[in-house]
Amino acid sequence: MSATELIARRSTTAAERSLCGWGRTASSRCRVFRPRGAQDVVEALASEARTRNGVIARGAGRSYGDAAQNGGGCVLDMTGLDRIVSIDPARRLITAQAGATVAQLMARLAAHGLTLPVVPGTRHVTLAGAIASDIHGKNHHRDGGFARHVASITLCTPTGETLELSPETDADLFYATLGGMGLTGVVLEATLHACELPSPWVAADVDRTDGLAQTLELMSGEEHHRYSVAWLDLLAEGSSMGRAIVSRADPLAADGVTPRARGRRDAGSAYPGTLSRRPAFDVPRGFPAALLRPASVRAFNALYWRLTPRRERGRQLALAPYFFPLDALGEWNRLYGPAGLIQYQFVIPSGQEVTLERCFELIRVRRLPVYLAVFKRFGAAFGGPLSFPLEGWTLAVDLPAAAPGLHAALDELDEVVAGCGGRVYLSKDSRLRREPLGAMYPQIDRFHAQRARVDPQGVLRSDLGSRLGLCGAAA
Ligand SMILES: Cc1cc2nc3c(=O)[nH]c(=O)nc-3n(C[C@H](O)[C@H](O)[C@H](O)COP(=O)(O)OP(=O)(O)OC[C@H]3O[C@@H](n4cnc5c(N)ncnc54)[C@H](O)[C@@H]3O)c2cc1C
């Protein structure tokens, strides 16, 4: 088929749409094409190489910012390629197509007593989205990020090649793709190492702290648990700012689950077959943003904090509510109204705790309306030049995008974070400027070298990549 015929055929199936990330900010008009197989992807890349408008793959669109869109160009919606290709229980390996979701993978693995070693805070992301962001979970300090568990990737590049990548075949391109934000090629399928699932339950130790100093002290101790995360109240005033609910948990053996836990209302969500269910309630379109204000969130936080016991040990929790609490409410991003939300997530290296405290102080002094704050520890860095996690402390804060002074305050935070060797998470980003990027990702030249190899014409392009100068020739 000639290039003209290819473009003509695809233009009849591509639809022009406005796309944005989960934060519902920074939308752009894109031509969206939904491949039905690998050949469609190969042809789409070939024809976009000729139009020069660029192309980027998109998964479930759960990155918060503008990583999975390409204003004025093409977007490949990969959710149609969602088959689970094979499971090898003896070797604990699963192979699936790019668009299979974490929920699908977990549900299928559970039938073999297995699960994914790393999951994010929502089960609605795709396999390739997880690879492109090198996502992390509550167990990064123990098990690393997603990248550590990927055995191989099938990658389609704009030069027309379909490559089987692994650390053995092509380590440089393999690692550049893990965390590479879709800019090294289109992932068609991948093979992952799974891990044992003793039962779909965890046993959690929960502690409530009274302020930031106590929270940091508790989180800084030696961590023996597999999962560890803290919910922080950053709207509390005075010395209560930074009070937290720290939850540390371990997988629970099947024979350890008590009848009391099995009898609880949410016990049904322990069964992996329910992971693909829609939530019972969706926030409606046009939800009035005025209902979500600092005063109402502050009151909610205070109530939540007060209702949590000061110290609880071995609380048995079903898998889905523990790992994916936000999935209980459908379309919750609409709570922020038409202006949307910004999730700002950064990591500060271990040993730079003074700078971490400076970041908290900046948030307080600039009176940033942090409606949700999640604090975790990361273990050693692993993965590619654009992978986010590095050993240290990570804070993710949800902020209404329309808050006055927000962008100037975040620019200030960027400088502080970059200045101590920290970085912001590109999967959550829609606003970072180019200047601090090099300090945040000091191995960025390794990334550019791989792009020059597989995409010399700059065909792979996203709004995030163009904004940050990641798209090489066509940027
Ligand atoms: C409620 C919520 C909680 C979250 N919690 C966490 C968390 O705990 N930890 C964490 O790390 N992240 C977390 N995230 C972020 C999320 O895990 C990542 O942004 C993830 O990449 C989203 O996957 P997706 O399938 O929606 O991909 P998209 O958002 O559609 O795309 C993300 C990136 O993947 C690329 N991509 C998608 N498909 C392909 C493909 N086939 N080939 C090549 N590149 C591709 C895109 O180009 C883009 O750069 C959370 C997000 C939400 C909404």
Side-chain angles (χ1 to χ4, degrees):
M1 200 182 297
S2 73
T4 325
E5 282 169 324
L6 278 177
I7 294 165
R9 190 188 119 193
R10 286 197 330 98
S11 64
T12 58
T13 48
E16 178 143 335
R17 277 172 53 196
S18 217
L19 289 181
C20 60
W22 186 248
R24 302 172 78 219
T25 59
S27 67
S28 61
R29 299 288 295 173
C30 313
R31 255 178 319 110
V32 183
F33 173 62
R34 195 161 188 261
R36 285 161 300 183
Q39 191 54 31
D40 283 353
V41 175
V42 173
E43 289 176 8
L45 287 174
S47 69
E48 293 306 326
R50 288 176 178 86
T51 64
R52 297 196 163 264
N53 292 324
V55 58
I56 193 74
R58 182 178 177 91
R62 298 276 165 154
S63 48
Y64 281 76
D66 54 359
Q69 62 200 55
N70 174 31
C74 179
V75 169
L76 299 181
D77 168 359
M78 297 297 289
T79 54
L81 274 69
D82 65 348
R83 207 162 46 82
I84 292 179
V85 178
S86 65
I87 297 181
D88 179 343
R91 295 167 65 210
R92 294 188 177 172
L93 289 174
I94 179 165
T95 301
Q97 289 185 317
T101 63
V102 161
Q104 278 173 273
L105 297 169
M106 287 177 78
R108 287 287 295 279
L109 283 170
H112 302 276
L114 297 171
T115 194
L116 293 179
V118 172
V119 295
T122 171
R123 60 192 187 254
H124 301 303
V125 308
T126 64
L127 169 60
I131 288 173
S133 294
D134 182 14
I135 58 160
H136 56 270
K138 297 175 170 72
N139 54 339
H140 192 279
H141 59 286
R142 279 283 287 271
D143 302 319
F146 208 74
R148 201 197 271 188
H149 308 278
V150 178
S152 62
I153 297 170
T154 309
L155 187 77
C156 197
T157 70
T159 45
E161 291 173 300
T162 299
L163 304 170
E164 297 298 328
L165 300 178
S166 71
E168 293 76 37
T169 60
D170 188 339
D172 288 341
L173 185 55
F174 178 74
Y175 289 116
T177 301
L178 298 165
M181 305 310 297
L183 294 168
T184 60
V186 178
V187 175
L188 295 177
E189 65 179 54
T191 298
L192 307 176
H193 295 283
C195 68
E196 191 195 350
L197 176 71
S199 81
W201 294 82
V202 297
D205 291 347
V206 180
D207 291 275
R208 199 180 79 179
T209 67
D210 295 321
L212 189 60
Q214 212 185 334
T215 306
L216 295 180
E217 195 188 323
L218 184 66
M219 294 286 285
S220 302
E222 208 178 324
E223 186 53 83
H224 300 289
H225 295 271
R226 178 134 182 220
Y227 306 108
S228 169
V229 64
W231 167 87
L232 264 56
D233 183 359
L234 295 184
L235 285 180
E237 306 275 6
S239 61
S240 299
M241 193 249 192
R243 62 187 175 184
I245 295 166
V246 179
S247 149
R248 289 168 301 176
D250 286 296
L252 192 58
D255 59 6
V257 186
T258 61
R260 184 161 169 250
R262 288 187 196 280
R264 271 209 315 267
R265 204 157 40 93
D266 65 359
S269 52
Y271 301 101
T274 62
L275 284 171
S276 299
R277 272 195 203 151
R278 295 264 326 132
F281 182 75
D282 281 351
V283 175
R285 274 178 214 284
F287 182 87
L291 292 179
L292 199 68
R293 315 170 65 94
S296 51
V297 181
R298 188 174 292 120
F300 171 85
N301 284 356
L303 186 69
Y304 179 52
W305 182 82
R306 240 172 266 287
L307 288 178
T308 305
R310 183 161 286 280
R311 186 175 192 276
E312 198 181 2
R313 291 292 172 264
R315 184 177 169 78
Q316 302 198 345
L317 295 164
L319 185 138
Y322 180 72
F323 286 109
F324 315 118
L326 290 169
D327 288 349
L329 182 61
E331 312 294 342
W332 62 260
N333 50 355
R334 290 180 185 158
L335 292 171
Y336 287 78
L341 79 142
I342 285 185
Q343 184 173 104
Y344 184 74
Q345 182 169 1
F346 62 90
V347 57
I348 299 288
S350 296
Q352 300 281 346
E353 284 71 16
V354 173
T355 312
L356 178 64
E357 289 182 34
R358 216 175 128 208
C359 293
F360 281 114
E361 183 59 9
L362 239 165
I363 290 171
R364 192 183 65 79
V365 172
R366 299 283 172 259
R367 303 188 72 80
L368 291 185
V370 175
Y371 289 172
L372 181 68
V374 176
F375 186 54
K376 298 185 223 187
R377 65 197 298 165
F378 277 162
F382 179 94
L386 281 194
S387 273
F388 168 64
L390 52 80
E391 187 161 356
W393 303 101
T394 181
L395 178 71
V397 291
D398 284 11
L399 299 146
L406 178 63
H407 287 266
L410 295 183
D411 286 349
E412 239 181 295
L413 270 167
D414 291 341
E415 296 299 328
V416 175
V417 168
C420 75
R423 53 180 65 145
V424 302
Y425 191 10
L426 300 183
S427 291
K428 310 275 177 93
D429 179 55
S430 56
R431 43 142 306 273
L432 184 67
R433 290 168 300 112
R434 280 185 192 194
E435 292 73 24
L437 191 75
M440 290 180 175
Y441 290 91
Q443 299 192 37
I444 201 159
D445 287 348
R446 274 176 55 207
F447 180 75
H448 286 305
Q450 291 310 307
R451 269 193 55 83
R453 223 184 101 194
V454 293
D455 188 16
Q457 291 179 289
V459 175
L460 293 163
R461 202 172 327 150
S462 64
D463 289 355
L464 173 117
S466 301
R467 178 165 49 80
L468 294 177
L470 294 171
C471 299

